[in-house]
């Protein structure tokens, strides 16, 4: 009877060990699946962040090139406006010079006309 109890006890312990071992393997497998799922989920996020970073870098390069082009074009426009402004100043100078010459010519014409009329009057008397 004692030997039968011992065998039953050993059989139950063996079943418990097997059940415990099976549960341990299932727990390890579940933990592995969970870990893989978490890593996959994180990798998707990291991959998306990497793709977004590359797009941002490309956009920054494009924006820098466009800003440089715009700065160059703006510099050209500023130069054109300065040249135009200088030309307007020169036109203004020419206009003032022309007015001055015109005034001088009118003064000379008036003086000559006065002299001419002065010479004609004694001849008529």
């Amino acid at each position: 009877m004692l030997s039968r109890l011992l065998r039953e006890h050993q059989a139950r312990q063996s079943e418990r060990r097997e059940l415990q071992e099976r549960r341990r393997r299932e727990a390890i497998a579940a933990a592995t699946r969970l870990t893989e799922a978490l890593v996959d989920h994180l990798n998707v996020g990291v991959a998306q962040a990497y793709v977004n970073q590359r797009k941002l870098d490309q956009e920054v390069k494009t924006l820098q090139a466009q800003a440089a082009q715009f700065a160059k074009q703006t510099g050209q426009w500023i130069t054109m406006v300065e040249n135009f402004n200088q030309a307007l100043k020169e036109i203004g100078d020419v206009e003032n010079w022309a007015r001055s010459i015109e005034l001088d010519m009118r003064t000379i014409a008036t003086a000559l006309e006065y002299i001419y009329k002065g010479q004609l009057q004694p001849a008529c008397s």
Side-chain angles (χ1 to χ4, degrees):
M1 172 138 168
L2 193 57
S3 67
R4 185 173 58 87
L5 286 175
L6 180 63
R7 272 184 270 147
E8 288 175 5
H9 175 70
Q10 287 175 342
R12 282 193 306 262
Q13 278 186 333
S14 176
E15 288 175 11
R16 285 185 195 139
R17 276 190 230 121
E18 288 175 14
L19 179 62
Q20 188 176 11
E21 181 63 28
R22 185 172 38 111
R23 288 180 179 168
R24 186 181 72 77
R25 282 184 294 213
E26 288 174 359
I28 290 172
T32 301
R33 286 192 304 273
L34 175 65
T35 303
E36 288 174 354
L38 289 174
V39 168
D40 287 345
H41 179 71
L42 289 176
N43 281 343
V44 167
V46 169
Q48 186 62 43
Y50 179 74
V51 167
N52 290 343
Q53 181 64 38
R54 289 189 56 164
K55 287 179 182 177
L56 284 174
D57 289 344
Q58 186 61 35
E59 288 294 323
V60 165
K61 287 178 184 176
T62 302
L63 184 60
Q64 285 175 338
Q66 288 175 349
Q69 179 64 27
F70 181 69
K72 181 181 175 184
Q73 189 175 25
T74 303
Q76 290 173 343
W77 288 346
I78 289 171
T79 302
M80 285 174 45
V81 168
E82 287 174 350
N83 290 341
F84 181 70
N85 192 28
Q86 184 62 34
L88 287 177
K89 285 180 183 178
E90 289 173 4
I91 288 172
D93 291 345
V94 168
E95 186 178 359
N96 286 337
W97 175 80
R99 283 187 193 142
S100 177
I101 294 294
E102 182 181 9
L103 184 60
D104 290 346
M105 294 305 287
R106 283 188 183 166
T107 304
I108 292 170
T110 303
L112 287 174
E113 188 177 327
Y114 181 73
I115 292 171
Y116 178 73
K117 285 181 181 178
Q119 289 179 352
L120 286 181
Q121 286 180 0
C124 292
S125 320

